[in-house]
Amino acid sequence: MHNPATLPDPFETAAQAFSALLDALGPGRHQLVCSAHTALGSFASASVDAEYAPDDQDEVDADSEGWLMFCHLLAQTSIGFRDAAIFTRTYTTDSASVVRGWKVTNGWPYPMDAADVFATYCTDLATGDPLPPEPGTDYQAGTPLPTASGSSRP
């Protein structure tokens, strides 16, 4: 077991991951959803809408309650959840968007490829049945996120 005194603060790591996600997504209007499952089948989900303008001194307009819940759940994924994922939706026009995905391991998002994003996003969680793709939605791979020190995690 890891020594808790040597581990990074999970909430600080989650806040850094949130910032890294916004940097990877770039400017625009985004919805970020974190969902997690326990080994016993419990499910938790949190979402936040954010308007990001990196050229405007990295200004983020996000619902503070949504941001807090998103980061809180992301922090908890390294402690009590078996599976966790983050999906983002970037609105490119009023009728079109891009969906990207990351699997969460030890509290940090790692990119899913486009096929996994599509397969996961277009599957009914309750039945496992396929769902039709959403009109105007482009399913893309997540991008690798740098760590706080600037290097990519394995």
Side-chain angles (χ1 to χ4, degrees):
M1 179 147 178
H2 295 287
N3 177 351
T6 63
L7 295 174
D9 176 35
F11 194 86
E12 177 64 28
T13 300
Q16 290 175 13
F18 181 81
S19 292
L21 284 163
L22 286 179
D23 285 342
L25 295 170
R29 187 167 58 105
H30 311 286
Q31 180 182 48
L32 295 84
V33 177
C34 181
S35 60
H37 298 84
T38 67
L40 298 176
S42 296
F43 173 79
S45 180
S47 67
V48 60
D49 291 325
E51 190 84 31
Y52 184 50
D55 293 337
D56 192 17
Q57 297 159 345
D58 292 339
E59 185 163 329
V60 177
D61 181 16
D63 169 42
S64 60
E65 184 177 316
W67 175 86
L68 185 63
M69 295 304 293
F70 179 92
C71 288
H72 180 72
L73 178 57
L74 183 55
Q76 294 301 312
T77 64
S78 62
I79 299 167
F81 290 93
R82 177 187 51 138
D83 294 316
I86 294 172
F87 287 95
T88 62
R89 180 181 299 271
T90 300
Y91 298 93
T92 54
T93 67
D94 286 341
S95 60
S97 62
V98 174
V99 171
R100 295 178 180 87
W102 291 260
K103 286 284 192 188
V104 179
T105 304
N106 295 324
W108 193 260
Y110 294 92
M112 299 168 78
D113 63 33
D116 286 340
V117 172
F118 181 85
T120 304
Y121 211 82
C122 294
T123 300
D124 186 308
L125 290 176
T127 65
D129 293 336
L131 298 170
E134 296 176 28
T137 301
D138 184 15
Y139 300 89
Q140 296 182 5
T143 55
L145 303 178
T147 61
S149 64
S151 62
S152 293
R153 290 187 177 224

